[in-house]
Amino acid sequence: MIYLLYIALAYLLITSFVMLWNKTTFSPLRSLKNYVLPTDTPKVSICIPARNEEGNIERCVRSALNQQYPNLEVLVLDDDSTDETPRILYDLKEEYPYELILLSGKPKPDDWLGKPWACQQLGEAASGNVIIFIDADVWLEPDTVTRTIRTMGGDVLDFLTIWPQQKLGSFWEKTIVPLVYYALTTLLPFAYVKKPPKWIPSVLRQKTGPMFAAACGQFMAFKRSAYDKIGGHQSVKDEIVEDVALAKKIKGNSLIMDMYNGISSVHCRMYNSQQELFEGFRKNFFAGFSYNIPLFVGMGLLHIIVFILPYVGLISGLLSDNTLMTVLSASAILIVMLQRLILAKWFKWKPIYSLTHLLGVIWFQRLGVTSLQDFLGDGNTTWKGRDISQKKK
């Protein structure tokens, strides 16, 4: 067990370095201080796919329509909703007859997944020079579009994605959702998202670029030319994790992208209950590992060693009076707590829920077992009334 605890400590020290590095590079959108919009502002299309979003859609659409940006259109596609979403959208259309464009989703082809198909239709209908895709559970600050345009121009980007401030309500939201950002901020060096590492030979940088691609589908902004160059959402029509797949297309086509912290510009509440959390993550958890079983199982085992074993070691060390085991285990637990406290302050979450990290890890272990069973078995995962078949490679 001692050697496994050394592995856990090494992992935590490396990820702590990555987190602290990311803390210095993961910036918000550029501010508007001393910024004057040019007279020839590019037209922006905000595109919102909506399927059974009666609890979210009005706030989302209103925040898009109320942007302080002069050259804007808002398109919403009702993707065959069976709840009150269509009625809410028609009411908004009456209130904003010229600013809001409503689309009715066409029947989904068999070889497409639902969200890419809805977004493809929105992308084809959009007339903007910049296309912004947001989810229906997102809402924007009034200056978000203007700051996005300034950032894309100032940082010379073809594609920009924002990680929203996640609003957390229930106990399980506060326990589970921060672990997504914990993984993101401790495993991916954000500086490499825009520029490839210098230690990779120049002849390999374009090929290895997609390895450092990441995106959040809750807010993605494309230059029209970049969106067309990668083939739009048609190029990821069967991808469950379509946002990351799009980012890889951007990097693979030598286009420039970057990620930003949305703490002051974009907000989201993904799920409202433990059941929604489980089913929501269940649909794309294994897909996020590209259906690589050895990688998936290996990461699961690594998380057991890093996050669960230290608690076993601490109890065992105290009971057996093993000082080295006690110190190593306590050190690993302390580092995780410090990482979580940094994360909580960073994204304005309640620090007390840093103490639920172990519970969250166990929750994800259960999710991982279920996701693997879904993949290996014959059952289909469903989301919002549609079957989502796991691709078997």
Side-chain angles (χ1 to χ4, degrees):
M1 182 182 288
I2 295 294
Y3 292 110
L4 294 178
L5 289 171
Y6 277 125
I7 292 173
L9 277 172
Y11 177 91
L12 290 169
L13 289 173
I14 293 170
T15 56
S16 294
F17 171 78
V18 174
M19 172 181 271
L20 293 174
W21 184 19
N22 285 336
K23 190 76 166 60
T24 67
T25 60
F26 194 36
S27 61
L29 295 173
R30 292 193 177 206
S31 75
L32 299 180
K33 186 177 181 180
N34 301 323
Y35 177 67
V36 178
L37 275 168
T39 55
D40 57 342
T41 54
K43 185 175 183 179
V44 173
S45 301
I46 299 181
C47 297
I48 308 169
R51 178 174 170 84
N52 296 338
E53 294 285 355
E54 62 183 9
N56 300 313
I57 193 63
E58 182 171 0
R59 177 175 58 184
C60 174
V61 174
R62 286 189 183 278
S63 76
L65 290 166
N66 292 330
Q67 288 298 297
Q68 299 166 349
Y69 187 82
N71 195 5
L72 179 75
E73 65 177 8
V74 177
L75 302 91
V76 184
L77 182 138
D78 173 37
D79 188 14
D80 198 23
S81 296
T82 57
D83 62 0
E84 291 298 304
T85 298
R87 179 191 62 77
I88 296 170
L89 289 175
Y90 287 132
D91 289 346
L92 286 168
K93 178 64 175 178
E94 289 186 359
E95 188 175 348
Y96 298 93
Y98 304 108
E99 299 92 340
L100 178 60
I101 300 171
L102 293 185
L103 304 174
S104 293
K106 299 176 183 177
K108 183 183 72 67
D110 291 339
D111 57 341
W112 284 72
L113 289 176
K115 186 176 180 182
W117 174 239
C119 289
Q120 179 67 22
Q121 295 173 78
L122 285 162
E124 291 174 353
S127 60
N129 307 105
V130 174
I131 306 175
I132 297 175
F133 292 95
I134 65 174
D135 284 352
D137 52 9
V138 163
W139 64 101
L140 312 174
E141 292 296 321
D143 61 355
T144 298
V145 168
T146 307
R147 292 176 65 188
T148 297
I149 295 303
R150 184 182 189 191
T151 302
M152 292 186 78
D155 293 353
V156 194
L157 302 175
D158 299 295
F159 171 70
L160 173 157
T161 185
I162 298 175
W163 290 84
Q165 180 193 28
Q166 299 295 337
K167 299 291 187 177
L168 310 176
S170 67
F171 170 83
W172 285 107
E173 290 172 78
K174 294 171 184 174
T175 297
I176 301 305
V177 174
L179 266 69
V180 177
Y181 278 53
Y182 176 84
L184 177 75
T185 57
T186 58
L187 294 177
L188 176 66
F190 294 163
Y192 296 162
V193 172
K194 183 178 182 182
K195 296 181 179 180
K198 293 182 179 179
W199 46 265
I200 292 181
S202 57
V203 294
L204 298 176
R205 287 179 185 173
Q206 182 175 355
K207 185 175 181 179
T208 59
M211 293 171 53
F212 301 100
C216 180
Q218 293 164 353
F219 188 106
M220 301 187 298
F222 298 83
K223 283 185 178 179
R224 178 88 223 191
S225 57
Y227 184 71
D228 290 341
K229 184 174 182 178
I230 66 172
H233 278 78
Q234 184 172 4
S235 65
V236 295
K237 64 182 181 180
D238 59 351
E239 296 284 352
I240 295 177
V241 191
E242 86 291 336
D243 46 6
V244 176
L246 286 166
K248 289 181 178 180
K249 295 286 185 182
I250 289 286
K251 298 282 284 185
N253 281 273
S254 300
L255 298 168
I256 307 299
M257 67 166 289
D258 210 348
M259 304 195 308
Y260 294 84
N261 182 348
I263 197 77
S264 61
S265 55
V266 182
H267 313 284
C268 179
R269 186 175 182 186
M270 291 190 289
Y271 307 113
N272 296 286
S273 68
Q274 197 274 148
Q275 184 62 28
E276 284 187 12
L277 276 165
F278 194 82
E279 294 304 322
F281 284 122
R282 179 181 180 180
K283 72 180 187 298
N284 55 22
F285 190 42
F286 189 35
F289 289 82
S290 301
Y291 306 98
N292 186 322
I293 293 179
L295 175 64
F296 190 69
V297 174
M299 286 301 294
L301 293 174
L302 180 62
H303 277 63
I304 290 173
I305 293 170
V306 174
F307 301 118
I308 298 178
L309 186 64
Y311 286 91
V312 177
L314 181 61
I315 295 171
S316 178
L318 289 172
L319 292 176
S320 63
D321 199 26
N322 187 325
T323 302
L324 179 59
M325 183 179 296
T326 301
V327 170
L328 291 175
S329 299
S331 298
I333 294 169
L334 179 61
I335 292 173
V336 173
M337 291 300 103
L338 289 174
Q339 289 177 333
R340 285 298 307 270
L341 287 171
I342 292 171
L343 193 73
K345 184 177 180 180
W346 193 353
F347 292 100
K348 298 183 179 180
W349 294 322
K350 291 184 177 181
I352 189 65
Y353 283 89
S354 301
L355 299 175
T356 66
H357 188 87
L358 176 62
L359 180 60
V361 169
I362 294 172
W363 189 93
F364 270 103
Q365 291 289 323
R366 171 178 168 244
L367 176 67
V369 171
T370 302
S371 298
L372 199 55
Q373 288 174 339
D374 290 338
F375 179 76
L376 297 174
D378 295 328
N380 289 331
T381 303
T382 61
W383 181 246
K384 294 188 177 182
R386 282 182 175 149
D387 289 335
I388 302 177
S389 300
Q390 300 279 327
K391 290 192 301 184
K392 298 188 178 183
K393 296 185 177 181

